[in-house]
Amino acid sequence: MENNNITYINYENGALSGANISEGVTTIGKMAGFFKDEKARAAIQPDTIAYRVQIHSAVTQADKPGTLYYGVTFLNPGMVGNEYYMTKGHFHQKPTAEYYWCIQGQGKLLIMDKDRNYEVIEMSPGTLHYIPEEYAHRVVNTGETPLIFGACWPADAGHDYQSIVNQGFPIRMINKNGKPVIEATI
Ligand code: PAN
Ligand code: ZN
């Protein structure tokens, strides 16, 4: 029996239910400028869901230092041209670290510092990732099933998407002969 004040985590698929949950949806239509092949992106039905994020918030004031958010992202499998579905990616406005952990699926975590030094890190069920402060982070689903990952970050971090729109990441994950390969961004 569910108690109204309790939040539950489904340990199979990461889904949250119960109290204090909100959900955000990012469609392919909202991702103009993020993929290499903008023509291919624009040709996809704009309400096609790239990913959903459930957020648990017990925070009454979002910019209060010391508070936390907990989120779970459900990143669908799919391609835009030959590029895998991915999250937009962002820097935190305040230099704050974040934990990611993979619950289901297969993919890559891309991180990049201000000097555009980057790393490509394997994500598979059970992998835990500490994203240092001042590193942009993006997740790419290179598998054929949803990539589901949890996250926990300071509620006052803020999200800077504009730097990513302007400069992108130095690399992209491309499907070449059925395998994910790293391609340098020109
Ligand atoms: C995550 C991300 C989530 C969606 O909760 O916000 O995976 O990715 P984008 O925000 O890049 O669209 C997180 O990193 N929070 O800080
Ligand atoms: Zn973040």
Side-chain angles (χ1 to χ4, degrees):
M1 235 206 352
E2 293 209 351
N3 177 314
N4 285 344
N5 298 316
I6 295 181
T7 306
Y8 296 87
I9 301 171
N10 178 322
Y11 260 63
E12 280 293 302
N13 62 17
L16 299 175
S17 60
N20 300 321
I21 299 162
S22 62
E23 185 166 317
V25 174
T26 301
T27 59
I28 291 293
K30 286 192 216 158
M31 293 190 77
F34 285 92
F35 293 95
K36 179 184 172 184
D37 189 344
E38 177 53 26
K39 244 189 182 171
R41 188 208 61 83
I44 295 170
Q45 241 303 326
D47 16 337
T48 305
I49 294 174
Y51 53 99
R52 289 187 299 119
V53 183
Q54 283 188 308
I55 293 179
H56 175 262
S57 172
V59 173
T60 48
Q61 186 196 325
D63 57 354
K64 193 171 172 200
T67 56
L68 293 172
Y69 285 140
Y70 178 105
V72 56
T73 301
F74 305 83
L75 174 58
N76 283 327
M79 306 296 302
V80 176
N82 63 357
E83 189 173 5
Y84 296 97
Y85 276 17
M86 61 189 179
T87 60
K88 289 179 174 175
H90 55 267
F91 286 98
H92 289 168
Q93 279 162 338
K94 273 194 192 177
T96 47
E98 177 163 6
Y99 272 112
Y100 275 8
W101 57 96
C102 185
I103 298 165
Q104 272 188 18
Q106 206 68 37
K108 310 282 180 191
L109 167 62
L110 314 184
I111 61 169
M112 164 182 77
D113 71 11
K114 301 271 178 205
D115 298 324
R116 301 180 66 71
N117 299 308
Y118 70 90
E119 266 185 69
V120 181
I121 301 153
E122 196 66 34
M123 287 181 99
S124 61
T127 58
L128 176 67
H129 310 281
Y130 181 80
I131 301 160
E133 69 279 15
E134 294 185 331
Y135 273 77
H137 36 290
R138 162 180 285 168
V139 172
V140 185
N141 186 349
T142 58
E144 285 167 7
T145 58
L147 173 52
I148 305 172
F149 62 96
C152 189
W153 70 98
D156 65 340
H159 292 83
D160 164 21
Y161 294 100
Q162 199 53 46
S163 302
I164 306 300
V165 171
N166 295 346
Q167 296 196 298
F169 278 69
I171 54 127
R172 296 179 176 281
M173 294 307 304
I174 299 295
N175 180 320
K176 207 170 181 185
N177 304 322
K179 289 221 170 94
V181 297
I182 296 170
E183 183 183 273
T185 311
I186 310 144

